[in-house]
Amino acid sequence: MTLLAPQPRSTLNTRSVNGRTGLVSHYEREIAAVLTLDVAAPYVVQVWVTSNPDKLRSWT
């Protein structure tokens, strides 16, 4: 949840992630995490978060 909380020098934007809508968390222009949700209306059944810098390198 810290990735989603408003912080100085951080932003949260929507982007396409593997063909689905996802959230991209930036900290000082660097990508901190990518989040996607699996939804079975009206429930969120799974949250996927990638914060590994090696996996996020291709996003920058």
Side-chain angles (χ1 to χ4, degrees), residues 7-13 15 24-33 56-57 59-60:
Q7 301 289 327
R9 303 180 311 267
S10 68
T11 59
L12 188 64
N13 300 300
R15 283 194 45 194
V24 179
S25 173
H26 291 83
Y27 180 75
E28 292 185 350
R29 295 188 172 187
E30 294 290 323
I31 295 180
L56 296 174
R57 193 166 288 125
W59 280 80
T60 55

Side-chain angles (χ1 to χ4, degrees), residues 3-57:
L3 294 170
L4 301 176
Q7 301 289 327
R9 303 180 311 267
S10 68
T11 59
L12 188 64
N13 300 300
T14 57
R15 283 194 45 194
S16 177
V17 178
N18 296 329
R20 299 171 28 190
T21 302
L23 297 172
V24 179
S25 173
H26 291 83
Y27 180 75
E28 292 185 350
R29 295 188 172 187
E30 294 290 323
I31 295 180
V34 175
L35 299 91
T36 59
L37 304 175
D38 285 341
V39 178
Y43 304 104
V44 172
V45 293
Q46 196 158 24
V47 178
W48 298 89
V49 179
T50 302
S51 59
N52 181 331
D54 293 331
K55 292 183 178 182
L56 296 174
R57 193 166 288 125

